[in-house]
Short mmCIF file of all heavy atoms in Angstrom, two decimals:
data_model
loop_
_atom_site.label_atom_id
_atom_site.label_comp_id
_atom_site.label_asym_id
_atom_site.label_seq_id
_atom_site.Cartn_x
_atom_site.Cartn_y
_atom_site.Cartn_z
N ALA A 1 -34.96 -0.41 24.70
CA ALA A 1 -34.03 -1.55 25.11
C ALA A 1 -34.74 -2.82 24.93
O ALA A 1 -35.96 -2.94 25.01
CB ALA A 1 -33.64 -1.38 26.54
N ARG A 2 -33.95 -3.87 24.57
CA ARG A 2 -34.51 -5.18 24.58
C ARG A 2 -33.45 -6.19 25.03
O ARG A 2 -32.31 -5.92 24.88
CB ARG A 2 -35.11 -5.53 23.19
CG ARG A 2 -34.04 -5.68 22.08
CD ARG A 2 -34.71 -6.16 20.76
NE ARG A 2 -33.75 -6.36 19.75
CZ ARG A 2 -33.33 -5.39 18.91
NH1 ARG A 2 -33.88 -4.19 18.99
NH2 ARG A 2 -32.36 -5.67 18.05
N LYS A 3 -33.97 -7.26 25.62
CA LYS A 3 -33.07 -8.34 26.14
C LYS A 3 -33.58 -9.63 25.61
O LYS A 3 -34.74 -9.99 25.66
CB LYS A 3 -33.17 -8.32 27.65
CG LYS A 3 -32.42 -9.40 28.31
CD LYS A 3 -32.59 -9.36 29.80
CE LYS A 3 -31.86 -10.56 30.45
NZ LYS A 3 -32.19 -10.73 31.83
N LEU A 4 -32.65 -10.35 24.96
CA LEU A 4 -32.97 -11.67 24.51
C LEU A 4 -33.35 -12.61 25.60
O LEU A 4 -32.59 -12.73 26.62
CB LEU A 4 -31.76 -12.26 23.76
CG LEU A 4 -32.00 -13.64 23.16
CD1 LEU A 4 -32.90 -13.53 21.99
CD2 LEU A 4 -30.64 -14.27 22.78
N LEU A 5 -34.50 -13.34 25.47
CA LEU A 5 -34.90 -14.29 26.48
C LEU A 5 -34.54 -15.71 26.04
O LEU A 5 -34.35 -16.54 26.88
CB LEU A 5 -36.39 -14.13 26.77
CG LEU A 5 -36.84 -12.81 27.38
CD1 LEU A 5 -38.36 -12.78 27.55
CD2 LEU A 5 -36.13 -12.55 28.67
N GLY A 6 -34.57 -15.90 24.77
CA GLY A 6 -34.21 -17.27 24.29
C GLY A 6 -34.65 -17.61 22.92
O GLY A 6 -35.34 -16.83 22.21
N VAL A 7 -34.23 -18.82 22.52
CA VAL A 7 -34.61 -19.36 21.22
C VAL A 7 -35.24 -20.77 21.48
O VAL A 7 -34.70 -21.53 22.21
CB VAL A 7 -33.30 -19.56 20.38
CG1 VAL A 7 -33.60 -20.25 19.07
CG2 VAL A 7 -32.57 -18.21 20.15
N LEU A 8 -36.31 -20.94 20.80
CA LEU A 8 -37.07 -22.28 20.86
C LEU A 8 -37.15 -22.78 19.43
O LEU A 8 -37.30 -22.01 18.53
CB LEU A 8 -38.43 -22.06 21.51
CG LEU A 8 -38.51 -21.44 22.85
CD1 LEU A 8 -39.93 -21.08 23.21
CD2 LEU A 8 -37.85 -22.29 23.90
N ARG A 9 -37.11 -24.06 19.30
CA ARG A 9 -37.26 -24.71 17.97
C ARG A 9 -38.58 -25.48 17.92
O ARG A 9 -38.94 -26.20 18.89
CB ARG A 9 -36.09 -25.60 17.71
CG ARG A 9 -34.78 -24.89 17.49
CD ARG A 9 -33.59 -25.80 17.61
NE ARG A 9 -32.37 -25.10 17.40
CZ ARG A 9 -31.69 -24.35 18.26
NH1 ARG A 9 -32.25 -24.16 19.45
NH2 ARG A 9 -30.59 -23.73 17.96
N LYS A 10 -39.30 -25.30 16.81
CA LYS A 10 -40.52 -26.05 16.63
C LYS A 10 -40.70 -26.40 15.14
O LYS A 10 -40.72 -25.48 14.33
CB LYS A 10 -41.74 -25.20 17.03
CG LYS A 10 -43.06 -25.94 16.95
CD LYS A 10 -44.11 -25.16 17.72
CE LYS A 10 -45.46 -25.87 17.59
NZ LYS A 10 -45.71 -26.81 18.63
N GLY A 11 -40.66 -27.74 14.87
CA GLY A 11 -40.76 -28.18 13.45
C GLY A 11 -39.51 -27.58 12.69
O GLY A 11 -38.39 -27.75 13.09
N GLU A 12 -39.85 -26.85 11.65
CA GLU A 12 -38.75 -26.25 10.85
C GLU A 12 -38.57 -24.79 11.13
O GLU A 12 -38.02 -24.07 10.26
CB GLU A 12 -39.08 -26.49 9.36
CG GLU A 12 -39.07 -27.95 9.03
CD GLU A 12 -39.31 -28.22 7.55
OE1 GLU A 12 -39.62 -27.22 6.80
OE2 GLU A 12 -39.26 -29.37 7.11
N ALA A 13 -39.01 -24.33 12.28
CA ALA A 13 -38.98 -22.85 12.58
C ALA A 13 -38.27 -22.73 13.98
O ALA A 13 -38.26 -23.55 14.76
CB ALA A 13 -40.38 -22.30 12.59
N ALA A 14 -37.84 -21.46 14.13
CA ALA A 14 -37.24 -21.03 15.42
C ALA A 14 -38.04 -19.85 15.92
O ALA A 14 -38.34 -18.91 15.17
CB ALA A 14 -35.78 -20.66 15.30
N LEU A 15 -38.40 -19.90 17.20
CA LEU A 15 -39.08 -18.76 17.85
C LEU A 15 -38.02 -18.06 18.63
O LEU A 15 -37.38 -18.67 19.55
CB LEU A 15 -40.18 -19.28 18.75
CG LEU A 15 -40.94 -18.24 19.53
CD1 LEU A 15 -41.73 -17.23 18.69
CD2 LEU A 15 -41.82 -18.81 20.52
N VAL A 16 -37.79 -16.78 18.38
CA VAL A 16 -36.88 -15.93 19.14
C VAL A 16 -37.71 -14.96 19.96
O VAL A 16 -38.56 -14.27 19.38
CB VAL A 16 -35.87 -15.20 18.18
CG1 VAL A 16 -34.79 -14.46 18.98
CG2 VAL A 16 -35.24 -16.24 17.22
N VAL A 17 -37.33 -14.82 21.24
CA VAL A 17 -38.17 -14.09 22.20
C VAL A 17 -37.25 -13.07 22.87
O VAL A 17 -36.25 -13.38 23.36
CB VAL A 17 -38.86 -14.99 23.21
CG1 VAL A 17 -39.73 -14.22 24.13
CG2 VAL A 17 -39.61 -16.09 22.49
N TRP A 18 -37.79 -11.78 22.94
CA TRP A 18 -37.10 -10.78 23.66
C TRP A 18 -38.10 -10.06 24.64
O TRP A 18 -39.29 -10.02 24.41
CB TRP A 18 -36.66 -9.59 22.69
CG TRP A 18 -35.71 -9.94 21.67
CD1 TRP A 18 -34.35 -9.73 21.73
CD2 TRP A 18 -35.90 -10.43 20.31
NE1 TRP A 18 -33.68 -10.12 20.54
CE2 TRP A 18 -34.71 -10.54 19.72
CE3 TRP A 18 -37.12 -10.81 19.71
CZ2 TRP A 18 -34.55 -11.00 18.37
CZ3 TRP A 18 -36.98 -11.29 18.41
CH2 TRP A 18 -35.79 -11.42 17.72
N SER A 19 -37.53 -9.56 25.74
CA SER A 19 -38.25 -8.68 26.63
C SER A 19 -37.86 -7.25 26.22
O SER A 19 -36.68 -7.02 26.03
CB SER A 19 -37.82 -8.91 28.09
OG SER A 19 -38.37 -7.94 28.94
N ALA A 20 -38.83 -6.33 26.00
CA ALA A 20 -38.51 -4.98 25.57
C ALA A 20 -39.06 -3.91 26.45
O ALA A 20 -40.08 -4.12 27.13
CB ALA A 20 -39.04 -4.82 24.15
N LYS A 21 -38.35 -2.79 26.53
CA LYS A 21 -38.80 -1.61 27.25
C LYS A 21 -39.08 -0.51 26.22
O LYS A 21 -38.31 -0.29 25.29
CB LYS A 21 -37.74 -1.11 28.22
CG LYS A 21 -37.52 -2.00 29.43
CD LYS A 21 -38.68 -1.92 30.33
CE LYS A 21 -38.45 -2.63 31.64
NZ LYS A 21 -39.62 -2.62 32.50
N TYR A 22 -40.22 0.19 26.39
CA TYR A 22 -40.58 1.27 25.53
C TYR A 22 -40.56 2.59 26.35
O TYR A 22 -40.71 2.55 27.55
CB TYR A 22 -41.99 1.00 24.89
CG TYR A 22 -41.91 -0.06 23.79
CD1 TYR A 22 -41.69 -1.33 24.02
CD2 TYR A 22 -41.99 0.40 22.40
CE1 TYR A 22 -41.64 -2.28 23.03
CE2 TYR A 22 -41.95 -0.56 21.41
CZ TYR A 22 -41.80 -1.89 21.70
OH TYR A 22 -41.68 -2.80 20.70
N ASP A 23 -40.48 3.71 25.62
CA ASP A 23 -40.24 4.96 26.30
C ASP A 23 -41.49 5.65 26.88
O ASP A 23 -41.42 6.51 27.69
CB ASP A 23 -39.51 6.01 25.41
CG ASP A 23 -40.27 6.32 24.12
OD1 ASP A 23 -41.36 5.75 23.86
OD2 ASP A 23 -39.63 7.09 23.31
N LYS A 24 -42.69 5.14 26.55
CA LYS A 24 -43.91 5.68 27.06
C LYS A 24 -44.62 4.87 28.11
O LYS A 24 -45.72 5.21 28.51
CB LYS A 24 -44.90 6.06 25.97
CG LYS A 24 -44.45 7.13 25.06
CD LYS A 24 -45.58 7.46 24.05
CE LYS A 24 -45.31 8.55 23.12
NZ LYS A 24 -46.39 8.79 22.16
N THR A 25 -44.01 3.75 28.46
CA THR A 25 -44.69 2.86 29.46
C THR A 25 -43.68 2.20 30.31
O THR A 25 -42.54 1.96 29.92
CB THR A 25 -45.58 1.72 28.73
OG1 THR A 25 -46.18 1.00 29.74
CG2 THR A 25 -44.76 0.90 27.77
N GLU A 26 -44.05 1.83 31.50
CA GLU A 26 -43.26 1.05 32.42
C GLU A 26 -43.43 -0.42 32.23
O GLU A 26 -42.66 -1.26 32.76
CB GLU A 26 -43.53 1.50 33.92
CG GLU A 26 -43.17 2.92 34.22
CD GLU A 26 -41.67 3.21 34.13
OE1 GLU A 26 -40.90 2.29 34.53
OE2 GLU A 26 -41.30 4.24 33.56
N ASP A 27 -44.41 -0.80 31.40
CA ASP A 27 -44.77 -2.19 31.26
C ASP A 27 -43.61 -2.89 30.49
O ASP A 27 -43.05 -2.21 29.59
CB ASP A 27 -46.11 -2.36 30.57
CG ASP A 27 -47.27 -1.97 31.42
OD1 ASP A 27 -47.10 -1.86 32.67
OD2 ASP A 27 -48.35 -1.70 30.81
N ASP A 28 -43.41 -4.15 30.73
CA ASP A 28 -42.54 -4.96 29.87
C ASP A 28 -43.37 -5.41 28.67
O ASP A 28 -44.58 -5.61 28.74
CB ASP A 28 -42.11 -6.23 30.63
CG ASP A 28 -41.08 -5.90 31.77
OD1 ASP A 28 -40.24 -4.98 31.59
OD2 ASP A 28 -41.17 -6.54 32.77
N THR A 29 -42.63 -5.49 27.52
CA THR A 29 -43.30 -5.95 26.30
C THR A 29 -42.57 -7.15 25.85
O THR A 29 -41.34 -7.17 25.92
CB THR A 29 -43.22 -4.83 25.24
OG1 THR A 29 -44.00 -3.72 25.68
CG2 THR A 29 -43.83 -5.32 23.90
N LEU A 30 -43.29 -8.14 25.34
CA LEU A 30 -42.69 -9.35 24.86
C LEU A 30 -42.65 -9.29 23.31
O LEU A 30 -43.74 -9.02 22.68
CB LEU A 30 -43.50 -10.51 25.29
CG LEU A 30 -42.86 -11.96 25.22
CD1 LEU A 30 -41.60 -11.94 26.05
CD2 LEU A 30 -43.85 -12.97 25.66
#
């Protein structure tokens, strides 16, 4: 599973960030 956290703009680029869940860990992954 992944959840969109947001979109940031910097110069001529966009940073897209998600929080993700993986099946072998309880930790959140960015």
Side-chain angles (χ1 to χ4, degrees):
R2 69 176 181 270
K3 176 184 173 188
L4 179 72
L5 297 179
V7 175
L8 305 170
R9 291 164 178 79
K10 184 168 177 92
E12 295 180 357
L15 177 66
V16 186
V17 183
W18 297 265
S19 172
K21 290 288 188 185
Y22 283 73
D23 61 1
K24 289 185 179 179
T25 181
E26 294 297 318
D27 293 341
D28 290 321
T29 299
L30 197 60

